[in-house]
Amino acid sequence: MAKDPGRVLIFDTTLRDGEQSPGASLNLEEKLAIAHQLARLGVDIIEAGFPFASQGDFAAVQRIAESVGTNGQGPIICGLARASEADIKACAEAINPAHRKRIHTFIATSDIHLEHKLRKSRAEVLAIVPEMVSYAKSFVDDVEFSCEDAGRSDPDFLFEIIEAAISAGANTINIPDTVGYTTPTEFGELIESINNNVQNIDDAIISVHGHNDLGLAVANFLEAVKKGARQLECTINGIGERAGNAALEELVMGLHVRRSYYNPFFGREPINPTPLTAIRTEELTKTSRLVSNLTGMVVQPNKAIVGANAFAHESGIHQDGVLKNRLTYEIVDAKTVGLTDNRISLGKLSGRSAVRARLEELGYDLSREDLNDAFTRFKDLADRKRDITDRDLEAIVSEQVQQPEGRFQLKLVQVSCGSKLKPTATVVLNDQEGNEQSTAAIGTGPVDAVCRALNALAGEPNELVEFSVKSVTEGIDAMGEVTIRLRKDGKLYSGHSADTDVVVAAAQAFVNALNRLVSRQKLGSLHPQKDDVIEIARRSI
Ligand code: KIV
Ligand code: ZN
């Protein structure tokens, strides 16, 4: 049986695989904010990015390694690298500042990937694996190796590859269901067969990674845990490529709530109260909101654990039952995941230090300048709204963290509309050189008019593919939260903003999306799984 740390290690890949979600790209400040919160959440490993992708990705991983990876007993900071020297070298440099660091290198092992993507024979791949694992080992002690598309690979070839990777020094072997194809029983059997057929498997921890194309990722992982997997690769809110990755909060709460069921698979008595993960579950809601606010990936209301309705009881029978005894219809106490109603925590008379303290608790560590800005916006909101909730505060600040350098700045937005009027918007924008420009436009509605005017000034032709508004809290004075997604050259860019005036929120969200579009276009970025692996041959750099 593979190495067993006695509990499950949580490997968070929100900043790498999660960020591969269409339109979810994050800037450096946003990645840092999320990494700090992941450390507070207690994840064991943060996969901070794919350093070879671009200078921006490299810088983000390096900053995370410097600031989160040097923090006492904080998480291991990991970077992804394809099985190529150039990737591995870049990764080693980026994670270097961290106290505890890991290189995660991978290559595909399924015939379909070998033939159509890598255009390599099994023998060639089998030769590359130990060479690249050894190369990674020359930089760090902690090396993880992944067999991409393991779920569709020939098990006998997989066993050979894994054995070679472990012999070359891999400490963790990751088994990805890259296309979300397997069923729980199959995936569990695959892990069991690896345990039974790989000679040196005792020298490595078995990890699992999986996508949710059939909605089975979490179920697959929990089955894998029963068969000896001890590291789970997951993302906050399950964000990620296509249908996403296995959701961290669901895995953690599954293992928490059903501990007595899973304990025996760890050789424990069912009643053993020791947690099966090191996650501080009270941080889950906060982390989910932070990730949703910064990525603009809205969490579906009925999403398990972190959806707005996850703890809401609508039907009279359920409400009656819960009032008599919570256990009648609730298996998780909302407080366990940090869901509290902080309605009356802040208001008009609250001072700067109270606002700062609450923001820090919510995961936002703002610079002095950003705090000043946030406080001004807080006061402005408190004039219009009596109770300021955590959700309001998050909405106020998340967009400040979102501003990349060299950005367009919205100076003014004004609309006239009504049943007998042609919706008209006037906008004033500071362009990237700091010049103030203004224009007006007519649209089918006020938001359309605003977007047309902004597009006319920005000169970055794009297609609006999503516009959604939801209220941050209840009540007529609630802030409206707007998410906008733009498409340019097949790539999606999202923007997010909140205001008590939804037209203002829409204008700001549009500008945020434009800013991402401009900065991402400048940087360019490789995709670890889709772009050509030019360097994959055994070449020196
Ligand atoms: O889905 C996948 O196979 C991956 C690997 C790079 C681990 O993300
Ligand atoms: Zn993946």
Side-chain angles (χ1 to χ4, degrees):
M1 183 87 158
K3 252 198 218 154
D4 189 352
R7 66 173 174 85
V8 167
L9 303 175
I10 297 294
F11 176 113
D12 181 278
T13 182
T14 306
L15 295 173
R16 198 279 296 171
D17 218 339
E19 213 227 357
Q20 288 174 213
S21 312
S25 67
L26 297 159
N27 69 32
L28 195 141
E29 294 305 319
E30 292 164 342
K31 287 184 184 175
L32 260 183
I34 291 176
H36 278 292
Q37 180 56 29
L38 291 173
R40 274 189 285 266
L41 177 67
V43 306
D44 298 283
I45 302 112
I46 294 178
E47 186 164 53
F50 170 43
F52 192 73
S54 69
Q55 275 179 359
D57 290 78
F58 181 96
V61 175
Q62 196 171 44
R63 276 286 296 283
I64 291 169
E66 275 161 13
S67 58
V68 183
T70 48
N71 200 351
Q73 275 309 295
I76 294 171
I77 306 298
C78 172
L80 183 71
R82 294 168 299 185
S84 88
E85 290 189 349
D87 273 43
I88 292 172
K89 190 160 185 279
C91 182
E93 265 172 52
I95 59 171
N96 193 43
H99 288 161
R100 299 197 299 149
K101 44 195 161 237
R102 173 180 298 185
I103 294 176
H104 174 194
T105 186
F106 76 98
I107 195 165
T109 50
S110 66
D111 287 337
I112 190 161
H113 276 229
L114 261 59
E115 187 183 337
H116 301 288
K117 184 173 105 165
L118 300 179
R119 295 196 185 89
K120 298 221 173 284
S121 67
R122 286 188 180 188
E124 283 173 299
V125 171
L126 190 56
I128 290 169
V129 170
E131 187 165 353
M132 289 302 118
V133 170
S134 307
Y135 186 59
K137 260 324 232 202
S138 69
F139 296 102
V140 291
D141 291 335
D142 187 350
V143 173
E144 170 170 336
F145 173 74
S146 283
C147 320
E148 192 192 10
D149 206 17
R152 294 188 299 171
S153 299
D154 169 16
D156 289 327
F157 181 54
L158 204 57
F159 304 150
E160 273 189 89
I161 290 275
I162 295 172
E163 198 167 317
I166 297 175
S167 297
N171 318 71
T172 302
I173 293 294
N174 184 38
I175 307 299
D177 180 14
T178 302
V179 290
Y181 180 72
T182 61
T183 68
T185 308
E186 282 171 344
F187 200 55
E189 282 169 2
L190 178 62
I191 301 304
E192 191 169 37
S193 71
I194 290 170
N195 254 320
N196 292 338
N197 291 285
V198 176
Q199 299 246 319
N200 51 5
I201 197 69
D202 289 353
D203 298 335
I205 288 178
I206 298 184
S207 165
V208 286
H209 178 110
H211 288 262
N212 211 21
D213 299 66
L214 297 176
L216 294 172
V218 168
N220 284 351
F221 279 28
L222 292 175
E223 204 53 34
V225 165
K226 286 161 60 179
K227 305 293 185 186
R230 290 294 177 263
Q231 176 181 287
L232 307 182
E233 300 200 355
C234 42
T235 59
I236 302 295
N237 302 336
I239 64 168
E241 289 277 1
R242 306 181 309 278
N245 286 64
L248 180 149
E249 60 280 358
E250 294 177 21
L251 290 164
V252 166
M253 291 312 289
L255 291 166
H256 179 80
V257 174
R258 301 304 312 276
R259 191 167 51 226
S260 57
Y261 172 77
Y262 289 102
N263 267 338
F265 298 100
F266 291 76
R268 306 174 178 190
E269 288 297 315
I271 51 153
N272 190 329
T274 312
L276 286 169
T277 72
I279 294 295
R280 293 176 200 101
T281 57
E282 329 73 63
E283 296 286 328
L284 284 171
T285 302
K286 214 185 285 175
T287 317
S288 160
R289 285 181 184 163
L290 182 72
V291 169
S292 171
N293 284 338
L294 297 184
T295 56
M297 304 282 290
V298 178
V299 175
Q300 75 195 57
N302 58 325
K303 163 90 176 60
I305 312 298
V306 291
N309 295 348
F311 296 94
H313 297 281
E314 198 63 41
S315 103
I317 298 173
H318 285 204
Q319 285 173 353
D320 183 54
V322 169
L323 286 176
K324 286 179 178 142
N325 186 332
R326 198 181 58 74
L327 297 178
T328 51
Y329 287 101
E330 261 181 30
I331 57 162
V332 184
D333 181 348
K335 290 197 192 77
T336 316
V337 298
L339 194 64
T340 51
D341 192 2
N342 285 298
R343 275 192 155 283
I344 49 166
S345 60
L346 293 170
K348 213 176 159 135
L349 300 176
S350 304
R352 185 185 307 262
S353 49
V355 172
R356 190 189 52 212
R358 191 67 201 136
L359 281 172
E360 276 172 10
E361 279 169 31
L362 291 172
Y364 292 93
D365 199 1
L366 298 186
S367 68
R368 205 186 152 80
E369 216 176 69
D370 283 346
L371 180 68
N372 286 346
D373 255 23
F375 190 64
T376 309
R377 301 189 69 200
F378 165 79
K379 281 290 181 194
D380 182 42
L381 182 64
D383 279 340
R384 289 178 280 153
K385 192 172 185 293
R386 204 163 57 96
D387 296 331
I388 310 286
T389 65
D390 285 351
R391 298 289 281 127
D392 293 322
L393 265 189
E394 284 166 345
I396 286 175
V397 294
S398 64
E399 141 198 340
Q400 277 175 237
V401 186
Q402 278 185 49
Q403 312 286 334
E405 291 301 315
R407 60 191 190 245
F408 294 113
Q409 266 186 321
L410 182 68
K411 289 290 176 196
L412 176 136
V413 54
Q414 213 170 351
V415 291
S416 66
C417 59
S419 54
K420 295 268 188 301
L421 290 174
K422 277 208 163 107
T424 311
T426 306
V427 296
V428 180
L429 198 65
N430 263 10
D431 70 12
Q432 294 177 79
E433 278 76 46
N435 308 314
E436 195 168 288
Q437 295 179 319
S438 61
T439 195
I442 294 175
T444 51
V447 172
D448 183 45
V450 166
C451 297
R452 282 173 192 269
L454 287 169
N455 267 336
L457 291 183
E460 291 287 346
N462 63 72
E463 185 194 348
L464 178 69
V465 289
E466 187 188 323
F467 167 70
S468 70
V469 190
K470 77 176 171 62
S471 87
V472 174
T473 49
E474 301 111 52
I476 195 74
D477 60 352
M479 291 213 282
E481 207 165 28
V482 175
T483 301
I484 288 227
R485 252 177 247 280
L486 307 177
R487 184 162 37 217
K488 181 158 192 199
D489 300 332
K491 291 216 168 72
L492 289 175
Y493 304 90
S494 67
H496 187 78
S497 187
D499 198 284
T500 47
D501 183 327
V502 288
V503 177
V504 174
Q508 188 59 60
F510 198 86
V511 171
N512 290 346
L514 280 174
N515 281 331
R516 272 177 207 267
L517 185 156
V518 171
S519 61
R520 278 276 142 180
Q521 276 188 153
K522 253 193 233 152
L523 286 173
S525 199
L526 281 178
H527 188 294
Q529 291 163 275
K530 292 182 190 144
D531 287 307
D532 270 354
V533 191
I534 310 149
E535 303 284 343
I536 219 152
R538 282 154 282 149
R539 276 204 259 130
S540 295
I541 38 169

